[in-house]
Amino acid sequence: MFRKTVGLCIVLVLLLGALSPALAQEGKVVIRYANFTAGQDRAAELDQIIAAFEAEYPNIKIEPYNMPFGDYFTMLQADFAGGDPPDVFELNYENFVAFAANGVLLDLSAYVSEDAPYYPQALHAFQYEGKQYALPETFSTVVLFYNKDLFDQAGIDYPTAEWTWVDALETAKAIRALGPDIWGIYSPIQFWEFYKRAAQNNCQFFNEDKTETLINAPECVEALQTMVGLLEEDVMPDPAEQAGVSDSELFQAGRLGMQVTGIWMMPAYQEVPFNWDIQLEPGMATKAYHFFSNGIAVDINTEHPLEAAAWAQYMTSSKTAVDVRLAADWELPTLNDMSLFESYLAMTPPDNREVVFQSLEAPVPPPTIARQSEMQDIFDELFNAVIAGELDPETALNLAKERVDSLLTS
């Protein structure tokens, strides 16, 4: 349960003038702020941002609740059901639609000025039925990490931005040939990777009015088949061959040539005893890259909407929040000004950090529906059957279409 307390914030380029008079007239209030991105690792950085905010707005106190991601949405939903939600809270893009559709979010449209510095696509992503129900906070993407030393041992060229999955597979075979404990590549076979690979092959996930899925079309089946092909070619370990060792642990141990994973893994790889870098992920018929985004929303029934909105704006667009995040390598602010990211780009490894922003040229956000978690569970259940050899890709996607269509109409 989130307990009652205090809060308020600052606005960088947003409605500062409109908010300030009201704030000045308010007494000291507490804003309860629930989040899943700070956790234990970034609690100190969040406290630093809160301290700066409270120094600027001494009539407001922020009471943070740093929750583990695995429990966060269950607890958040329980607090809404119990009538005691936090005033301000983080939402990832995938869960945003469900909360917006349930009418529990405050419309923040009036608090966003036309010259707000947000990345336009991210700002639009947190709109529902034409209203701004959350402000974009951070983004992350997925790239191709690669072990340069293994590439050198195999005598092959490093990945390029023009690579397709055919190039990746042939390279993975050469790295796999280095030894029985060396694997060529790891690219997860699950919902999150599938919708992106499908987009790379011009597979349309839904029809235009989102009343039907189209994910058993030939382009979609081919996309899933290329993912499974990495197992069939023995360049990627199956669950039994991994023996409980994660793909990240394989990479850190120098036993994995390439890994498709998020930029959030960069801090974990800073001390590995080999050379590594990143590149844009391979494509198929076209290029498409993940775009994961977190936003900050406000409870529609908060007793302090101005203060709550101000804190949401401060966390998403203030210079203090930007500087603290970049210094800690703690997810990237969703702001459309590259000058803000100079310190981030200067950090090594990896040398090719510009790739993070190049991937924004062809973003593909997760497909979302009101019954999001049920849809994801359907795909992952069927994909696990494909990995186990119990279903072929076409049969799995035929079943997925049937089951997800029922979620759209029931």
Side-chain angles (χ1 to χ4, degrees), residues 344-365:
Y344 176 81
L345 291 171
M347 290 190 286
T348 59
D351 293 331
N352 197 17
R353 208 172 268 256
E354 292 84 358
V355 160
V356 174
F357 299 95
Q358 291 169 5
S359 66
L360 298 180
E361 296 173 4
V364 51

Side-chain angles (χ1 to χ4, degrees), residues 140-316:
S140 56
T141 185
V142 168
V143 298
L144 183 71
F145 288 69
Y146 64 98
N147 181 325
K148 297 172 76 172
D149 289 1
L150 288 181
F151 272 68
D152 292 342
Q153 290 177 39
I156 48 181
D157 295 333
Y158 298 147
T160 71
E162 289 73 36
W163 260 25
T164 67
W165 282 103
V166 173
D167 300 312
L169 175 59
E170 294 306 311
T171 301
K173 291 178 181 176
I175 295 173
R176 179 76 171 110
L178 291 174
D181 292 333
I182 304 296
W183 295 94
I185 190 169
Y186 192 92
S187 179
I189 301 174
Q190 28 93 310
F191 168 79
W192 304 100
E193 287 296 319
F194 170 69
Y195 78 77
K196 174 190 61 182
R197 192 75 68 91
Q200 293 175 355
N201 206 36
N202 295 323
C203 160
Q204 187 177 343
F205 210 90
F206 296 114
N207 63 354
E208 289 190 4
D209 59 3
K210 221 170 184 176
T211 56
E212 180 187 5
T213 58
L214 305 175
I215 39 78
N216 62 341
E219 297 83 359
C220 311
V221 175
E222 184 181 23
L224 181 56
Q225 182 57 55
T226 63
M227 299 171 71
V228 179
L230 300 176
L231 291 175
E232 295 173 341
E233 295 288 349
D234 195 37
V235 296
M236 183 173 96
D238 62 29
E241 291 168 323
Q242 279 187 253
V245 178
S246 72
D247 52 309
S248 297
E249 290 171 327
L250 281 177
F251 189 82
Q252 287 174 305
R255 295 174 52 202
L256 186 59
M258 295 174 282
Q259 183 191 20
V260 177
T261 191
I263 59 174
W264 52 82
M265 291 306 299
M266 289 182 187
Y269 295 162
Q270 293 303 305
E271 305 300 328
V272 295
F274 55 83
N275 297 306
W276 62 278
D277 208 341
I278 61 174
Q279 182 52 273
L280 288 170
E281 189 179 329
M284 293 186 69
T286 187
K287 290 281 192 173
Y289 309 107
H290 279 124
F291 179 72
F292 296 117
S293 186
N294 298 319
I296 295 186
V298 175
D299 170 34
I300 193 171
N301 293 317
T302 179
E303 295 177 2
H304 309 290
L306 288 178
E307 292 85 350
W311 169 241
Q313 293 165 5
Y314 191 88
M315 271 298 290
T316 55

